[in-house]
Amino acid sequence: MKGKLKRFRKLKKEMSPNMADLISGKLSLLDCVFPSLMFPLLMAILAIAWYGRRTKSGAALPPGPRGLPLLGSLPFLDPQLHRYFAELAGTYGPIVSARLGSKLCVVVNSVSLAKEILKDQDAILANHLETGRLRAIRKGGKGLGWANYSSQWRMHRKLAVSEILNSSKLDIFKDLRRGEIRFMVRQVYGKIDAPVNLADLMLVTMLDVITGMLWGGTFREDERRRLAAELRPVVNDVLEVFARFDVFEFFPVLPRFDLLGLVRRTDELATRLHRILDAVIDQRLAMYRSGETGDKDFLQLLLKTTEENEDQKMPMTTSDVKASFTDLIMASVDTSVNTMQWVMTRLLQYPEIMRKAQQEVEQVVGNDHIVEEVHLSKLHYLNAVIKETLRLHPPTPLMLPRTPREPCKVGGYKVPMGSSVFVNMWAIQRDPQVWDNPLEFRPERFLSSTTKWDYSGNDLHYFPFGSGRRICIGVAVADRMLSYTLASLVHSFEWRLPEGTKIDLTETPGMITKKATPLVAVPTPRLTVPELYF
């Protein structure tokens, strides 16, 4: 190498000055230009690889937009993903694939294809995608909502359903729900003719109910309310963080850097949440060790299960207990808070529907009594209002994304392992081939139809809480609380929007049907006997 360098210098000296300068200029030019050529050259190579891969496998994948190299369709997304995928279905058909960054997303927008995912291949597609936020909130525990499908998950879910989330077990907590609803009515009565934030109101009520069911037998009522008040801001912040859309989750390397800080924020909130749950668990363990049993609650059952299963192949740990509690709280509270806001928004938008609901409650209950759970089954129109709201505003319009445990086919197209599979419930429940005037808010459609529209997920024309193995774990609690709360609110009060405000149906970006602006309304008493408010 040194010899070649000496010969070059000797040759340069022997050249004419012009030729030497020319060669020197060329070398200098290449030195400057080469680095600037590297980026476009790299992009060209990636583009060739991208389109080559699409061409090679595109025939087997569902149809969809080609997108851009590296970014895919991310630059073209509608903030409401369910709307974006519904629009793609209008172009490409009922099953669509789109690359969001490095992730392949497959979305179905029809009942027949939803059946393939939620019924025919439910076991293959029963896993949920795990994100950094999910790992952070669980802190190593295996919960009920987002954990992968496994024998341990089946054991945990069976335990929850058999001991707390079925109708017969929910009857045990009837007095708890009644007490919290009466407490809510008193709170509203104390704010007559003043604005009430209905999101905050529902958050307080649902959190008090669900924590009462989970560990009400461990604490006195005042202690339980204090703990629920401590939980409230943490739960609210966790729900806000999980509602955020993190575009960087769709790239293979970027999630580890947590560029939006959502994982760090979730970890901070999880630490606060687990600190509260640790105190709850310690209290129950102290009662157990001292021989004091207290009233039976779900916490007592779970801790007993952890002890009995210590030496088995599928033990339930304290971390699993906390993860399960977190899932139950989030599923029940988030669904109820969002849905109640949409219900009341629709009732304020259509005063004639509000009057029909109030007249029905008056006929069933009377103006000199309060609403009780025994009345709920007779409130057909009010329940139709809730069902119609859930049709137009399902809590998770794309359901929680699933990922296949092995390669499979949907609609005759290939769905690879690692892909994200969505069921566009929002689009299906607005299908004009099934629903007459689907964009119209008309509760009567649930009264005149001979079809049994319920929340079981058996009929995939209407399944607002999901279907199959991963149906929402809080559906039974949410069902009772939504009808009980709504009946009590419209029976006890007249409602109006604050002066100068209008109905706002704007949704937040992301994968949850959440109002962009919390609903605020002003109550006025309706009941003839003031003592009924206390």
Side-chain angles (χ1 to χ4, degrees), residues 59-295:
L61 291 175
R66 295 182 70 86
L68 301 176
L70 297 180
L71 298 176
S73 297
L74 281 174
F76 313 110
L77 287 183
D78 186 296
Q80 279 78 45
L81 296 179
H82 47 281
R83 297 178 187 272
Y84 171 73
F85 287 127
E87 289 176 4
L88 289 185
T91 302
Y92 298 100
I95 181 168
V96 177
S97 69
R99 288 197 179 272
L100 305 184
S102 62
K103 297 287 182 69
L104 174 66
C105 297
V106 175
V107 187
V108 301
N109 299 272
S110 72
V111 171
S112 60
L113 293 173
K115 178 177 177 293
E116 288 192 38
I117 292 173
L118 302 174
K119 303 283 187 182
D120 303 341
Q121 303 186 82
D122 193 16
I124 295 175
L125 288 153
N127 282 348
H128 286 319
L129 286 174
E130 187 171 73
T131 66
R133 280 175 281 182
L134 290 177
R135 287 190 292 272
I137 198 66
R138 287 202 299 256
K139 283 193 173 294
K142 296 178 178 63
L144 292 164
W146 290 291
N148 278 336
Y149 183 68
S150 64
S151 299
Q152 188 169 10
W153 174 83
R154 290 197 299 271
M155 181 192 74
H156 291 185
R157 187 180 180 96
K158 182 179 179 180
L159 189 65
V161 171
S162 64
E163 295 297 333
I164 193 172
L165 297 178
N166 64 72
S167 296
S168 61
K169 293 294 182 181
L170 286 176
D171 288 340
I172 297 173
F173 300 100
K174 179 180 177 180
D175 290 341
L176 168 70
R177 290 189 295 276
R178 186 181 191 277
E180 296 303 334
I181 291 294
R182 300 315 307 158
F183 180 77
M184 176 196 72
V185 169
R186 288 197 299 273
Q187 295 293 103
V188 175
Y189 190 72
K191 298 180 179 180
I192 290 301
D193 294 326
V196 174
N197 186 312
L198 287 166
D200 290 345
L201 180 71
M202 196 62 186
L203 176 64
V204 170
T205 303
M206 274 306 302
L207 201 53
D208 283 348
V209 168
I210 195 67
T211 55
M213 293 169 63
L214 294 178
W215 57 71
T218 304
F219 297 93
R220 298 193 309 270
E221 182 178 351
D222 57 337
E223 293 175 318
R224 181 173 56 79
R225 288 191 185 279
R226 177 185 58 78
L227 279 169
E230 191 177 346
L231 265 176
R232 207 170 299 141
V234 183
V235 170
N236 190 58
D237 288 348
V238 170
L239 295 176
E240 290 289 339
V241 169
F242 272 81
R244 293 276 303 277
F245 179 69
D246 186 357
V247 66
F248 300 110
E249 287 180 349
F250 293 94
F251 294 91
V253 178
L254 296 182
R256 72 183 64 177
F257 298 107
D258 188 26
L259 297 176
L260 295 182
L262 297 179
V263 176
R264 288 190 296 275
R265 178 60 176 154
T266 303
D267 187 64
E268 293 169 0
L269 293 169
T271 299
R272 290 168 56 191
L273 176 62
H274 283 235
R275 190 181 300 125
I276 297 171
L277 296 179
D278 283 335
V280 171
I281 291 171
D282 289 345
Q283 171 71 10
R284 172 56 83 173
L285 288 174
M287 293 171 63
Y288 176 77
R289 288 164 186 157
S290 66
E292 181 184 356
T293 58
D295 294 332

Side-chain angles (χ1 to χ4, degrees), residues 419-439:
S419 56
S420 304
V421 181
F422 298 90
V423 176
N424 197 340
M425 177 198 305
W426 181 88
I428 292 172
Q429 294 187 166
R430 292 171 179 238
D431 185 351
Q433 295 183 0
V434 178
W435 306 96
D436 182 39
N437 296 318
L439 301 185

